[in-house]
């Protein structure tokens, strides 16, 4: 079956932490290791709750503030510093835009409640026909349900879809359902793999 839908992950694929220094400086400020501050933001209990929409993004940042023992009026600064080394890969977004309308494009992202507004504010949402955000749908990768929701929204069978993600477990999960998976390690390599699949 030929591919009709192309799905991408966001963090680690379209937006990547290319510069570690800002996050490293932040970690040092709180006498932490880089991995520790990363865990507080992405893998703490409140982060996991925010990922499936049990709490809002702002509630999660308040929990981070309590963990770091800072005032709530410092949250915006800490958040800005934490993500200061992140870069959006415009070449991927432009490629996705170029695929429409020949292909259906979609985002499948484990992300918090502010994700949709962020994409709109940064004018990235126009690269996608569908946005499947874990906090909005109440389920996260690698659960099968989030992929099934994406396929349902795009109105395609699993065999007619390809998904690009940087986490092996997420790729394994989509492939179990019959989707084609591309494990993202290097941008050029992943895009080349995708182009080969779409040509087939």
């Amino acid at each position: 079956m030929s591919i009709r839908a192309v799905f991408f992950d966001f963090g680690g694929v379209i937006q990547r932490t290319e510069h570690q220094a800002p996050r490293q400086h932040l970690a040092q400020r709180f006498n932490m290791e880089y991995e520790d501050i990363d865990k507080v933001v992405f893998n703490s209990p409140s982060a996991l709750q925010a990922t499936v929409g049990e709490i809002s993004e702002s509630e999660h940042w308040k929990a981070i503030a309590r963990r770091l023992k800072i005032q709530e009026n410092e949250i915006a600064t800490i958040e800005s510093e934490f993500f200061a080394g992140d870069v959006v890969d415009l070449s991927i977004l432009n490629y996705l835009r170029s695929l429409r309308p020949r292909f259906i494009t979609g985002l499948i992202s484990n992300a918090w409640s502010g994700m949709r507004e962020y994409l709109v504010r940064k004018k990235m949402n126009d690269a996608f026909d569908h946005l499947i955000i874990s906090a909005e749908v109440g389920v996260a990768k690698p659960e099968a349900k989030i992929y099934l929701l994406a396929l349902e929204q795009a109105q395609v069978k699993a065999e007619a879809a390809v998904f690009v993600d940087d986490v092996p477990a997420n790729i394994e999960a989509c492939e179990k359902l019959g989707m084609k998976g591309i494990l993202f390690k290097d941008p050029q390599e992943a895009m080349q793999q995708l182009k080969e699949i779409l040509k087939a």
Side-chain angles (χ1 to χ4, degrees):
M1 186 179 287
S2 60
I3 298 296
R4 289 181 51 222
V6 178
F7 294 103
F8 264 74
D9 174 35
F10 189 75
V13 178
I14 293 172
Q15 181 169 299
R16 304 187 296 273
T17 306
E18 298 285 2
H19 311 288
Q20 274 76 33
R23 209 167 287 182
Q24 188 66 55
H25 292 153
L26 200 59
Q28 287 166 353
R29 177 179 156 188
F30 292 103
N31 295 314
M32 298 168 86
E33 295 295 327
Y34 182 98
E35 293 75 17
D36 295 332
I37 197 144
D38 215 54
K39 188 176 178 183
V40 167
V41 175
F42 291 126
N43 286 305
S44 60
S46 64
L48 302 177
Q49 285 179 293
T51 298
V52 291
E54 289 175 6
I55 62 172
S56 68
E57 185 168 333
S58 64
E59 287 171 312
H60 169 45
W61 279 104
K62 285 174 187 173
I64 292 171
R66 289 192 295 275
R67 169 73 178 78
L68 298 178
K69 297 180 172 61
I70 61 167
Q71 299 300 312
E72 285 189 12
N73 61 8
E74 295 178 82
I75 291 173
T77 304
I78 297 298
E79 183 180 355
S80 178
E81 283 179 40
F82 183 85
F83 290 112
D86 283 17
V87 176
V88 172
D89 193 328
L90 296 175
S91 67
I92 293 179
L93 286 173
N94 287 332
Y95 178 69
L96 283 166
R97 290 180 181 110
S98 78
L99 291 179
R100 300 174 69 200
R102 289 174 300 131
F103 297 92
I104 298 160
T105 63
L107 186 79
I108 305 176
S109 179
N110 284 359
W112 308 325
S113 59
M115 181 61 153
R116 186 177 293 267
E117 186 273 331
Y118 173 73
L119 293 169
V120 171
R121 180 162 40 88
K122 296 288 187 180
K123 297 182 169 55
M124 291 187 267
N125 60 309
D126 67 318
F128 306 100
D129 291 298
H130 302 285
L131 300 173
I132 298 86
I133 297 163
S134 63
E136 294 180 356
V137 297
V139 64
K141 297 173 293 184
E143 293 289 328
K145 188 180 175 185
I146 196 166
Y147 303 102
L148 296 172
L149 284 168
L151 294 169
E152 188 183 318
Q153 282 194 24
Q155 296 185 317
V156 295
K157 289 184 163 57
E159 293 75 17
V162 59
F163 178 50
V164 183
D165 195 295
D166 63 320
V167 177
N170 296 343
I171 292 299
E172 286 166 25
C174 84
E175 288 177 335
K176 273 185 189 166
L177 295 172
M179 297 169 77
K180 279 194 175 5
I182 295 173
L183 181 61
F184 186 97
K185 293 177 184 172
D186 170 79
Q188 283 75 30
E189 189 183 323
M191 297 310 285
Q192 191 53 47
Q193 283 179 264
L194 179 57
K195 286 169 185 173
E196 291 297 326
I197 288 170
L198 297 185
K199 269 196 286 187

